[in-house]
Amino acid sequence: MWLSNCDDGIQYLITNNGFIYHAFCDMTTNGGGWTFVASVHENNIHGKCTIGDRWSSQQGNNVNVPAGDRSWSNYVTFGSTEGATSDDFKNPGYYDITASDISVWHVPNNTPLNNWKDAAILRYHTETNFLQQHGGNLCQLFKQYPVEYNKGNCPDDNGPVSDITYDFGNGEKIRNFYGALAQEEFEPGFVQFRVFNNEKAALAMCSGVKYNGCNSEHVCIGGGGYFPERMPRQCGDFTAFDWDGQNRGFLWSASKEVTEAAVLIFYR
């Protein structure tokens, strides 16, 4: 619930339990009404499930912790709105707001809040009301589709997928952010949730793509707590974006542009 009219910028909201918090609102994209609820930021591409990997695991690449920190499906909050391109972020709206769609911005690390929209390398949103089919937000969606090692197989047990509408960017731009081998396994123009890889490790979100192959760790984000292949080269919020070298955009490696950009998630 709003405590005031929501123009672009920071506004105060109140949860169903009466907790007051502030959130950034985008009231111009596609008619507005978007509330910023989370960001996924890779603080250290070489740190594989170490401190700062809040969306995967801060407990190491550990077979005894197959679901990592469970941040996609729990009620823990962290980070600050203004620091969301410099650190992971999750506010109460992530689990409290009942929404229909999401908007995603890929914003270069350390960009000030007032410059997020103009600096974004990609912006897109869904118009399919897919969240209404899965509890009204991502927290409820991931309760239905746990981000946990060995809970399914690729591709038979992957989770929901929705097509997207581009606000800035296009499918070719998305494709070029990832390595040539990875490009062969995905289709741009979608957002997809809870996908498995060849080794039955789980990735939470494939931003801007539907992943048709089984090497999703090179494109999708927010892995669970255990990745069995070639430890410690996998695990972390941007799990294996650096497989063939950091920021190379070559073979299985993602480019510098997408590796060094936070993924911002909004609800409407």
Side-chain angles (χ1 to χ4, degrees):
M1 181 175 69
W2 302 113
L3 290 185
S4 63
N5 293 328
C6 188
D7 298 321
D8 279 2
I10 300 293
Q11 296 292 330
Y12 286 91
L13 288 76
I14 185 168
T15 69
N16 290 325
N17 291 324
F19 178 76
I20 298 172
Y21 66 102
H22 66 264
F24 174 73
C25 301
D26 169 23
M27 293 300 291
T28 54
T29 299
N30 190 241
W34 300 102
T35 303
F36 175 52
V37 298
S39 74
V40 185
H41 168 270
E42 181 52 73
N43 70 314
N44 178 10
I45 194 68
H46 300 296
K48 301 300 182 182
C49 286
T50 53
I51 296 300
D53 286 331
R54 294 181 182 87
W55 292 102
S56 50
S57 174
Q58 300 185 93
Q59 305 172 67
N61 191 12
N62 189 344
V63 68
N64 296 314
V65 190
D69 291 351
R70 297 184 184 272
S71 293
W72 293 96
S73 59
N74 66 23
Y75 303 101
V76 174
T77 59
F78 41 79
S80 67
T81 302
E82 292 206 47
T85 60
S86 304
D87 198 359
D88 288 334
F89 172 74
K90 179 184 173 189
N91 71 17
Y94 177 85
Y95 55 79
D96 186 74
I97 292 173
T98 300
S100 297
D101 287 291
I102 67 168
S103 177
V104 178
W105 300 2
H106 296 249
V107 181
N109 291 347
N110 303 315
T111 300
L113 184 152
N114 290 339
N115 297 338
W116 284 358
K117 184 176 288 187
D118 291 339
I121 60 174
L122 285 170
R123 290 189 288 113
Y124 46 85
H125 65 274
T126 67
E127 296 181 353
T128 59
N129 298 316
F130 79 96
L131 283 178
Q132 288 295 307
Q133 304 170 40
H134 302 289
N137 55 50
L138 293 181
C139 186
Q140 294 303 315
L141 183 153
F142 285 113
K143 289 183 185 299
Q144 300 171 35
Y145 297 91
V147 184
E148 184 172 351
Y149 168 67
N150 205 26
K151 287 291 185 178
N153 297 287
C154 168
D156 297 337
D157 299 310
N158 290 344
V161 60
S162 172
D163 59 1
I164 59 173
T165 297
Y166 295 102
D167 301 302
F168 178 75
N170 52 52
E172 187 63 21
K173 188 171 186 180
I174 288 178
R175 187 177 298 279
N176 290 334
F177 283 139
Y178 300 99
L181 295 180
Q183 291 178 26
E184 296 176 3
E185 295 199 353
F186 68 72
E187 180 181 354
F190 300 88
V191 61
Q192 187 176 23
F193 302 93
R194 211 289 303 278
V195 302
F196 292 99
N197 69 4
N198 277 314
E199 298 78 37
K200 299 186 179 182
L203 285 300
M205 183 176 177
C206 302
S207 276
V209 310
K210 176 171 62 175
Y211 211 90
N212 300 316
C214 292
N215 294 287
S216 48
E217 64 270 17
H218 305 297
V219 173
C220 306
I221 62 175
Y226 182 59
F227 288 79
E229 185 183 15
R230 299 182 69 175
M231 292 166 51
R233 293 186 66 188
Q234 296 188 33
C235 212
D237 290 353
F238 287 18
T239 304
F241 278 30
D242 60 336
W243 188 261
D244 290 296
Q246 182 179 353
N247 295 335
R248 294 190 67 190
F250 175 73
L251 298 179
W252 293 109
S253 288
S255 67
K256 177 181 176 68
E257 289 81 2
V258 77
T259 300
E260 297 186 1
V263 179
L264 277 55
I265 302 171
F266 297 74
Y267 288 163
R268 181 170 71 180

